[in-house]
Amino acid sequence: MNKITTFFAISALFLSATASAQTQARNEMLLNAVSFINTPYGVKTLDMSNEEQLVLNTDEVDCVTLVENVLAMSLAENSQTLQLNEQDFTRWLTKIRYRNGVIDGYTSRLHYMTEWIANGVKQGFLEDVTAVQSPYTAKMNISYMTNHVSDYPKLQLSADNLNKMKQIEAALDGTEVHYIPKDYLTDEGFFWIRSGDIIAITTSTPGLDIAHMGIAMNVDGTLTLLHASTTDMKVEVSKVSLKEMLRRNKSWTGVRVIRMKK
Ligand code: 2YP
């Protein structure tokens, strides 16, 4: 857990560089996200073992595991003492990654971000900001995994997993969510999007709800994305605005904004 032990030094540096006033609230999500910059991108790090078990890996991350680690660190950190212990971290990671916080096989993992977000809102540690702030809605189509079983060996090799996943997809399919359509997003973002918020990018890819995710970061008035990039194979802050990232990707349709609730 070298990320956790070196976290305080990095946070202190970043805070002293950015705090404009003594009274400024500590932004755990942003500070923890920044501590991951340059971490290598890791492919399918949660799918390595036969039995489903909690994978702790802060040495390489994908877009989802970056956000999960940052969120677990931020929730686990004691606001008074700023201490972070490994037990609290693993407890939060389990609550974030698994349906109702229970590890019970491959299909208990929250594979679709629509359910990942709903689970966090239900458990009380996430807030759906776009549901409050944006009037625009979209229906999520969810069938990607069972339509691409060759990409998911745990579904290909187990009829039981495949059946369970079909049921999970059927229950999620058609879920209506609030989002910001990409044409309405501006380079600056909106005043209600804060650095440290979780950004989930909706997609027109058939059967898929979310195509990518990361952490919002205001850089000199521009809304950018701190994310695990498959282009540069590491965690980085986007060089262009989030708006521009969406403009360049035809299948990305908009964003959901989700906030840690602590
Ligand atoms: C998720 O994919 C996986 C989970 O199985 C996995 O593929 C799906 C539907 N879910 O537990 C989790 C962590 O590895 O990743 C993500 C994937 O994004 C990749 C990994 C990335 O950009 O780094 C989530 O669903 C977030 O966006 C999509 C994207 N999946 C595909 O594009 C198929």
Side-chain angles (χ1 to χ4, degrees):
M1 294 267 99
N2 57 340
K3 283 273 173 350
I4 291 173
T5 47
T6 56
F7 149 86
F8 292 108
I10 295 165
S11 304
L13 268 178
F14 192 73
L15 249 194
S16 60
T18 57
S20 56
Q22 290 290 326
T23 51
Q24 188 170 324
R26 185 179 161 77
N27 188 335
E28 295 113 329
M29 285 292 288
L30 181 62
L31 292 168
N32 286 317
V34 165
S35 76
F36 276 87
I37 288 175
N38 287 330
T39 301
Y41 187 94
V43 180
K44 294 207 177 282
T45 55
L46 305 186
D47 294 306
M48 299 305 178
S49 61
N50 288 332
E51 283 297 305
E52 185 71 21
Q53 55 184 293
L54 186 71
V55 173
L56 297 173
N57 185 353
T58 52
D59 296 330
E60 42 177 26
V61 291
D62 64 26
C63 70
V64 175
T65 59
L66 166 69
V67 172
E68 289 184 338
N69 279 306
V70 167
L71 184 57
M73 287 165 87
S74 304
L75 286 163
E77 186 188 307
N78 182 307
S79 304
Q80 260 79 52
T81 64
L82 306 187
Q83 294 293 318
L84 175 66
N85 72 57
E86 196 163 330
Q87 223 179 349
D88 289 338
F89 173 75
T90 54
R91 200 168 48 82
W92 275 113
L93 196 59
T94 310
K95 283 188 171 200
I96 293 164
R97 188 172 288 164
Y98 292 92
R99 188 174 304 108
N100 299 320
V102 179
I103 305 176
D104 181 21
Y106 180 72
T107 58
S108 68
R109 201 196 309 160
L110 299 162
H111 297 279
Y112 287 101
M113 295 306 110
T114 298
E115 195 184 9
W116 186 98
I117 293 166
N119 175 74
V121 171
K122 187 175 143 200
Q123 305 286 320
F125 59 80
L126 289 180
E127 196 182 329
D128 186 346
V129 180
T130 21
V132 178
Q133 300 286 358
S134 176
Y136 305 102
T137 59
K139 278 205 165 79
M140 299 292 104
N141 296 312
I142 298 184
S143 60
Y144 188 89
M145 292 177 74
T146 61
N147 283 330
H148 297 81
V149 282
S150 56
D151 292 343
Y152 302 96
K154 300 276 166 61
L155 297 182
Q156 202 169 29
L157 300 171
S158 160
D160 186 40
N161 281 346
L162 185 60
N163 284 334
K164 283 182 183 158
M165 192 51 76
K166 279 186 178 158
Q167 285 173 27
I168 291 164
E169 289 179 345
L172 290 171
D173 193 40
T175 303
E176 197 171 71
V177 301
H178 287 255
Y179 79 125
I180 311 169
K182 70 170 159 186
D183 288 348
Y184 293 93
L185 193 64
T186 61
D187 288 310
E188 298 77 27
F190 293 103
F191 71 92
W192 46 266
I193 305 179
R194 301 183 195 152
S195 290
D197 282 349
I198 297 166
I199 302 289
I201 300 174
T202 54
T203 179
S204 59
T205 299
L208 195 61
D209 51 349
I210 298 297
H212 194 47
M213 68 197 300
I215 307 286
M217 188 167 173
N218 184 317
V219 178
D220 297 332
T222 298
L223 176 62
T224 65
L225 192 70
L226 192 160
H227 66 134
S229 162
T230 46
T231 309
D232 293 330
M233 292 306 276
K234 62 174 184 178
V235 176
E236 63 184 17
V237 180
S238 63
K239 290 166 204 81
V240 297
S241 67
L242 177 63
K243 161 83 177 176
E244 181 61 16
M245 286 176 78
L246 270 92
R247 203 186 59 76
R248 290 179 186 183
N249 195 317
K250 285 224 160 23
S251 63
W252 291 0
T253 54
V255 298
R256 296 183 67 184
V257 181
I258 310 297
R259 187 167 295 153
M260 175 181 73
K261 205 167 147 188
K262 192 172 170 181

